[in-house]
Amino acid sequence: MKLAIAAVGLVLGLATPVAASDLTLEITTRGSGGAIAVAVYRDAAAFRRGEGPVASRMVPRGGPVTTVVMTGLAPGRYAVAAFHDTDGNGELTLWPIGLPKEAYGFSNDARGRFGPPAFEAAAINLPATGTRSALSLR
């Protein structure tokens, strides 16, 4: 009987909406000025490529620790990439040899060898009640 009621609810569009959660990030950086760019990824492929984040924001640097709240995320596993945009061009500035000029980091302070870390190393769980996470930009 319960299955029949659930099926009728889905057909009539009465399905329960997915809860939205907030991910509060406390981002530490040593540089001054500029802005902090944050991208949140839900899957490993997008995280590895640095494309298609489910959420992104750029906020003015608020001091040694900048708090950024990513709102409206569905509960689940996410990885975060961030950088300190000191020159204001909206992109992670690189040296001619391809190494970053600006400080960057990932959730769990995960580090990769030649590129971003593995998704699982940076992944954080976001419950329906929301969560806080800290990361350092180096």
Side-chain angles (χ1 to χ4, degrees), residues 41-51 77-79 116-121 123:
Y41 298 91
R42 181 105 193 210
D43 67 83
F47 178 68
R48 184 76 183 157
R49 289 188 318 270
E51 298 174 351
R77 288 179 63 74
Y78 294 93
F119 181 84
E120 284 305 314

Short mmCIF file of all heavy atoms in Angstrom, two decimals, residues 41-51 77-79 116-121 123:
data_model
loop_
_atom_site.label_atom_id
_atom_site.label_comp_id
_atom_site.label_asym_id
_atom_site.label_seq_id
_atom_site.Cartn_x
_atom_site.Cartn_y
_atom_site.Cartn_z
N TYR A 41 32.84 20.86 -6.33
CA TYR A 41 32.62 19.80 -7.32
C TYR A 41 31.95 18.60 -6.68
O TYR A 41 32.25 18.24 -5.54
CB TYR A 41 33.95 19.36 -7.93
CG TYR A 41 34.64 20.47 -8.68
CD1 TYR A 41 35.56 21.30 -8.02
CD2 TYR A 41 34.37 20.71 -10.01
CE1 TYR A 41 36.19 22.34 -8.70
CE2 TYR A 41 35.00 21.75 -10.69
CZ TYR A 41 35.90 22.56 -10.03
OH TYR A 41 36.51 23.58 -10.70
N ARG A 42 31.08 17.96 -7.44
CA ARG A 42 30.34 16.79 -6.94
C ARG A 42 30.93 15.49 -7.45
O ARG A 42 30.71 14.44 -6.87
CB ARG A 42 28.88 16.91 -7.36
CG ARG A 42 28.00 15.79 -6.88
CD ARG A 42 27.16 16.25 -5.76
NE ARG A 42 26.54 15.10 -5.10
CZ ARG A 42 25.39 15.17 -4.51
NH1 ARG A 42 24.72 16.28 -4.49
NH2 ARG A 42 24.90 14.12 -3.90
N ASP A 43 31.67 15.52 -8.56
CA ASP A 43 32.21 14.26 -9.09
C ASP A 43 33.69 14.38 -9.42
O ASP A 43 34.21 15.47 -9.67
CB ASP A 43 31.40 13.78 -10.30
CG ASP A 43 31.55 14.69 -11.49
OD1 ASP A 43 32.54 14.54 -12.23
OD2 ASP A 43 30.67 15.55 -11.69
N ALA A 44 34.35 13.24 -9.44
CA ALA A 44 35.80 13.19 -9.62
C ALA A 44 36.25 13.72 -10.97
O ALA A 44 37.26 14.42 -11.06
CB ALA A 44 36.30 11.76 -9.41
N ALA A 45 35.54 13.40 -12.04
CA ALA A 45 35.96 13.82 -13.37
C ALA A 45 35.95 15.35 -13.50
O ALA A 45 36.91 15.94 -14.01
CB ALA A 45 35.07 13.19 -14.44
N ALA A 46 34.89 16.00 -13.05
CA ALA A 46 34.81 17.46 -13.13
C ALA A 46 35.88 18.10 -12.25
O ALA A 46 36.51 19.08 -12.64
CB ALA A 46 33.42 17.94 -12.71
N PHE A 47 36.10 17.53 -11.05
CA PHE A 47 37.12 18.05 -10.14
C PHE A 47 38.50 17.96 -10.77
O PHE A 47 39.27 18.92 -10.75
CB PHE A 47 37.06 17.27 -8.83
CG PHE A 47 38.09 17.68 -7.82
CD1 PHE A 47 38.04 18.92 -7.21
CD2 PHE A 47 39.10 16.81 -7.45
CE1 PHE A 47 38.98 19.30 -6.26
CE2 PHE A 47 40.05 17.16 -6.50
CZ PHE A 47 39.99 18.42 -5.91
N ARG A 48 38.81 16.84 -11.38
CA ARG A 48 40.13 16.63 -12.00
C ARG A 48 40.36 17.63 -13.15
O ARG A 48 41.44 18.17 -13.31
CB ARG A 48 40.23 15.20 -12.50
CG ARG A 48 41.56 14.84 -13.06
CD ARG A 48 42.54 14.63 -11.95
NE ARG A 48 43.85 14.36 -12.51
CZ ARG A 48 44.96 14.56 -11.87
NH1 ARG A 48 44.95 15.00 -10.64
NH2 ARG A 48 46.11 14.29 -12.42
N ARG A 49 39.32 17.87 -13.94
CA ARG A 49 39.43 18.79 -15.08
C ARG A 49 39.34 20.25 -14.65
O ARG A 49 39.71 21.15 -15.40
CB ARG A 49 38.33 18.52 -16.10
CG ARG A 49 38.46 17.25 -16.88
CD ARG A 49 37.44 17.16 -18.01
NE ARG A 49 36.10 17.60 -17.64
CZ ARG A 49 35.14 16.84 -17.14
NH1 ARG A 49 35.36 15.56 -16.93
NH2 ARG A 49 33.96 17.34 -16.85
N GLY A 50 38.76 20.51 -13.46
CA GLY A 50 38.54 21.88 -13.02
C GLY A 50 37.44 22.56 -13.82
O GLY A 50 37.44 23.77 -14.01
N GLU A 51 36.46 21.77 -14.26
CA GLU A 51 35.36 22.29 -15.07
C GLU A 51 34.03 21.82 -14.51
O GLU A 51 33.94 20.74 -13.94
CB GLU A 51 35.47 21.78 -16.52
CG GLU A 51 36.72 22.23 -17.22
CD GLU A 51 36.86 21.59 -18.59
OE1 GLU A 51 36.09 20.67 -18.93
OE2 GLU A 51 37.77 22.00 -19.32
N ARG A 77 28.72 14.14 -1.13
CA ARG A 77 30.18 14.29 -1.06
C ARG A 77 30.64 15.31 -2.08
O ARG A 77 30.23 15.26 -3.24
CB ARG A 77 30.88 12.95 -1.31
CG ARG A 77 30.70 12.00 -0.15
CD ARG A 77 31.35 10.65 -0.36
NE ARG A 77 32.79 10.65 -0.51
CZ ARG A 77 33.68 10.82 0.48
NH1 ARG A 77 33.25 11.05 1.69
NH2 ARG A 77 34.97 10.77 0.26
N TYR A 78 31.49 16.22 -1.63
CA TYR A 78 31.99 17.29 -2.48
C TYR A 78 33.48 17.47 -2.27
O TYR A 78 34.01 17.17 -1.20
CB TYR A 78 31.30 18.62 -2.14
CG TYR A 78 29.82 18.64 -2.43
CD1 TYR A 78 28.89 18.31 -1.46
CD2 TYR A 78 29.35 19.01 -3.68
CE1 TYR A 78 27.53 18.33 -1.72
CE2 TYR A 78 27.99 19.05 -3.96
CZ TYR A 78 27.10 18.71 -2.97
OH TYR A 78 25.75 18.73 -3.25
N ALA A 79 34.14 18.02 -3.28
CA ALA A 79 35.53 18.45 -3.15
C ALA A 79 35.57 19.93 -3.53
O ALA A 79 34.86 20.37 -4.43
CB ALA A 79 36.44 17.64 -4.06
N PRO A 116 45.68 18.61 -9.45
CA PRO A 116 44.86 18.52 -8.24
C PRO A 116 44.98 17.14 -7.59
O PRO A 116 45.35 16.17 -8.26
CB PRO A 116 43.44 18.76 -8.76
CG PRO A 116 43.49 18.43 -10.20
CD PRO A 116 44.88 18.73 -10.66
N PRO A 117 44.66 17.04 -6.30
CA PRO A 117 44.68 15.74 -5.64
C PRO A 117 43.53 14.87 -6.14
O PRO A 117 42.64 15.35 -6.85
CB PRO A 117 44.49 16.10 -4.16
CG PRO A 117 43.73 17.37 -4.20
CD PRO A 117 44.22 18.11 -5.42
N ALA A 118 43.53 13.62 -5.74
CA ALA A 118 42.41 12.73 -6.05
C ALA A 118 41.15 13.26 -5.38
O ALA A 118 41.22 13.84 -4.29
CB ALA A 118 42.72 11.32 -5.57
N PHE A 119 40.02 13.08 -6.01
CA PHE A 119 38.74 13.52 -5.46
C PHE A 119 38.55 12.98 -4.06
O PHE A 119 38.14 13.71 -3.15
CB PHE A 119 37.59 13.07 -6.38
CG PHE A 119 36.23 13.50 -5.90
CD1 PHE A 119 35.74 14.76 -6.21
CD2 PHE A 119 35.44 12.65 -5.16
CE1 PHE A 119 34.48 15.17 -5.78
CE2 PHE A 119 34.18 13.05 -4.72
CZ PHE A 119 33.71 14.31 -5.04
N GLU A 120 38.82 11.70 -3.85
CA GLU A 120 38.60 11.08 -2.54
C GLU A 120 39.47 11.71 -1.46
O GLU A 120 39.06 11.77 -0.30
CB GLU A 120 38.82 9.57 -2.61
CG GLU A 120 37.68 8.83 -3.27
CD GLU A 120 36.32 9.11 -2.62
OE1 GLU A 120 36.22 9.07 -1.38
OE2 GLU A 120 35.36 9.36 -3.36
N ALA A 121 40.66 12.17 -1.80
CA ALA A 121 41.53 12.82 -0.81
C ALA A 121 40.96 14.16 -0.37
O ALA A 121 41.15 14.58 0.77
CB ALA A 121 42.93 13.01 -1.38
N ALA A 123 37.58 14.97 -0.73
CA ALA A 123 36.13 14.87 -0.52
C ALA A 123 35.72 15.10 0.93
O ALA A 123 36.37 14.62 1.86
CB ALA A 123 35.62 13.51 -0.99
#
